[in-house]
Structure formats: structure tokens, C-alpha cells
């Protein structure tokens, strides 16, 4: 009931009715797994510099449908962030404008459920631009892979410490590491984690 009321008021705040499709009932077994690289770790002041996303359909990652964009930031890249994603300001000289990328991203995700690793941060970053553009935040249902993994792991070690680091989950689930750390590769690896977990009987309630 709460989500219905929330969606009702969100629809009224939409600046452009063409985005009403975001509120359509999502298809049963379709998801978008995405990841962002940013200038820093503060959604209020930092900017997105890259978005990578893949579509998951019927337990398959649709590799022919991927979303990879680089964005020219308005804020300066932080040194700590460069050490993570290795993207420098000179690498973004021909990057796209965030307004164009956000519009394309909305069309790509549609009304699908969104999947990610520590997704709250990526959602907050995207919402900063979407709120200004269309008047609302993303209404899509979200699924946090680390939370699904935690619920799966707690069954075997109920009193133990569960390591939720990305590399640890990858190793535990026997997911192959894909090349360099970037938004697209991270989205792909997270999608593989999700598929490995979602088909566990006790995990189906998440999806």
C-alpha cells in the first residue's frame, strides 16, 4: 500500500509525462544491473564520470544489450577515486554531457528492477541528476546483492562474521574476475553474482 501511495504522488510530480513508463509493472524476470564510477564518494558534491549497465533476462545476461557511457564531470576528480577506477580528467575530454546520458539511461532501464553492489550509493548519485531533470527519484524496485549474499551466508554461519567485500563474494561464489576495474566490468560481475544467488530456493523472496 505504501509503495502505491508513494508512486501516486511521484507521478504527480513528474515534469514530463513521457516518463510514466517508469511506473509500469515490471516484467517478472527482467533486471538491470548497473554500476557508477564517480569523482568522489559524496553524492551531494561529487559527479558521475561513468555508468556501466547490463540487462538480465530469464536467468541470462543479455551481452548484446549493454550500456557504457563516460561523462564529463563538473567537479574535480579526487585522487582517492582515481586510484580505484584509474580514470583521469584527460580521459574524459571527449566524454558526454550528463543530461544526455541520464536520458539514455532512463530509456535503457525502463521499469525493470535494479540490481547492484552497495547500490544505495549508485542510486543516490543517479537520483541527483534525475530529480532535477524529471522531478522525481527513480521509482524502480532495487535489489542489493550484498544483502542477498548475507541472507544466503547467514544460514551456514549464523554466529559468524560475514565478509561483504566485493572480492570475497566473488571468490565465495566462484565468479571469474573480468579485466580491469570499471563500471561495465563491475556491472557484469555483479550480475553474475546475482544470478548465482537468485536461483537458490531461499533467495527467491528477494527477486
Amino acid at each position: 500500500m505504501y509503495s502505491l501511495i508513494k508512486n501516486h504522488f511521484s507521478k504527480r510530480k513528474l515534469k514530463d509525462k513521457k516518463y510514466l513508463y517508469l511506473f509500469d509493472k515490471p516484467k517478472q524476470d527482467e533486471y538491470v544491473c548497473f554500476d557508477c564510477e564517480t569523482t568522489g564518494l559524496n553524492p551531494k558534491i561529487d559527479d558521475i564520470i561513468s555508468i556501466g549497465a547490463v540487462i538480465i533476462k530469464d536467468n541470462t545476461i543479455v551481452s548484446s544489450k549493454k550500456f557504457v557511457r563516460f561523462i564529463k564531470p563538473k567537479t574535480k576528480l579526487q585522487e582517492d577515486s582515481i586510484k580505484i577506477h584509474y580514470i583521469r580528467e584527460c580521459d574524459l575530454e571527449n566524454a558526454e554531457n550528463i543530461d544526455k546520458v541520464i536520458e539514455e539511461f532512463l530509456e535503457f532501464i525502463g521499469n525493470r528492477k535494479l540490481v547492484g553492489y552497495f547500490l544505495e550509493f549508485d542510486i543516490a548519485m543517479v537520483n541527483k541528476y534525475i530529480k532535477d531533470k524529471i522531478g522525481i527519484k527513480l521509482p524502480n524496485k532495487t535489489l542489493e546483492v550484498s544483502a542477498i549474499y548475507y541472507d544466503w551466508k547467514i544460514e551456514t554461519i549464523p554466529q559468524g562474521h560475514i565478509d561483504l567485500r566485493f572480492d570475497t563474494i566473488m571468490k565465495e561464489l566462484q565468479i571469474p574476475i573480468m579485466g580491469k576495474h570499471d563500471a561495465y566490468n563491475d556491472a557484469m560481475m555483479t550480475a553474475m553474482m546475482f544470478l548465482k544467488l537468485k536461483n537458490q530456493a531461499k533467495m527467491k523472496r528477494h527477486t
Side-chain angles (χ1 to χ4, degrees):
M1 178 62 74
Y2 171 75
S3 60
L4 289 174
I5 294 173
K6 183 179 179 181
N7 283 347
H8 171 74
F9 285 104
S10 291
K11 287 179 184 179
R12 293 177 62 179
K13 293 178 182 178
L14 263 180
K15 293 180 180 179
D16 190 335
K17 300 304 179 185
K18 79 175 184 179
Y19 293 106
L20 278 171
Y21 64 80
L22 294 171
F23 296 95
D24 291 344
K25 185 177 179 180
K27 294 180 180 178
Q28 183 62 31
D29 203 29
E30 287 196 20
Y31 310 83
V32 169
C33 186
F34 83 99
D35 181 75
C36 298
E37 301 294 353
T38 61
T39 57
L41 298 176
N42 188 336
K44 292 183 179 179
I45 61 174
D46 287 309
D47 289 320
I48 295 174
I49 57 173
S50 176
I51 302 177
V54 294
I55 291 174
I56 300 169
K57 183 176 181 180
D58 298 326
N59 289 319
T60 301
I61 299 171
V62 186
S63 57
S64 61
K65 293 184 179 180
K66 65 180 181 180
F67 186 92
V68 181
R69 299 289 189 281
F70 289 90
I71 302 115
K72 185 172 291 238
K74 297 177 182 178
T75 54
K76 187 176 178 61
L77 283 163
Q78 301 298 313
E79 186 176 340
D80 289 345
S81 294
I82 296 174
K83 290 178 181 178
I84 296 173
H85 51 58
Y86 298 105
I87 299 173
R88 303 159 299 170
E89 290 187 6
C90 62
D91 298 321
L92 300 171
E93 289 180 357
N94 297 315
E96 299 179 74
N97 181 278
I98 186 62
D99 289 336
K100 178 175 181 291
V101 172
I102 283 297
E103 185 168 340
E104 292 171 346
F105 182 66
L106 286 172
E107 292 173 0
F108 182 82
I109 66 173
N111 60 346
R112 297 180 181 91
K113 300 172 187 177
L114 302 177
V115 177
Y117 173 78
F118 287 134
L119 186 59
E120 184 178 356
F121 172 77
D122 295 314
I123 291 288
M125 291 299 300
V126 170
N127 275 337
K128 179 171 73 169
Y129 305 102
I130 289 178
K131 183 79 184 300
D132 287 342
K133 186 173 183 62
I134 67 175
I136 64 168
K137 296 179 179 180
L138 283 172
N140 306 57
K141 181 180 178 181
T142 60
L143 297 163
E144 171 55 53
V145 168
S146 67
I148 299 173
Y149 174 79
Y150 180 91
D151 286 353
W152 174 69
K153 196 70 176 172
I154 198 68
E155 294 287 329
T156 58
I157 48 173
Q159 304 302 321
H161 170 70
I162 298 176
D163 189 343
L164 297 178
R165 287 177 294 180
F166 190 88
D167 289 346
T168 301
I169 300 175
M170 288 278 291
K171 185 176 180 180
E172 176 71 23
L173 297 176
Q174 299 181 331
I175 303 297
I177 295 174
M178 295 180 58
K180 65 178 182 177
H181 171 86
D182 62 29
Y184 175 69
N185 282 342
D186 284 359
M188 279 290 291
M189 289 185 287
T190 303
M192 286 188 278
M193 290 181 194
F194 175 68
L195 286 177
K196 195 80 176 274
L197 289 165
K198 79 179 281 288
N199 293 309
Q200 306 289 330
K202 61 192 174 188
M203 294 295 103
K204 290 190 179 296
R205 62 186 176 83
H206 283 278
T207 60

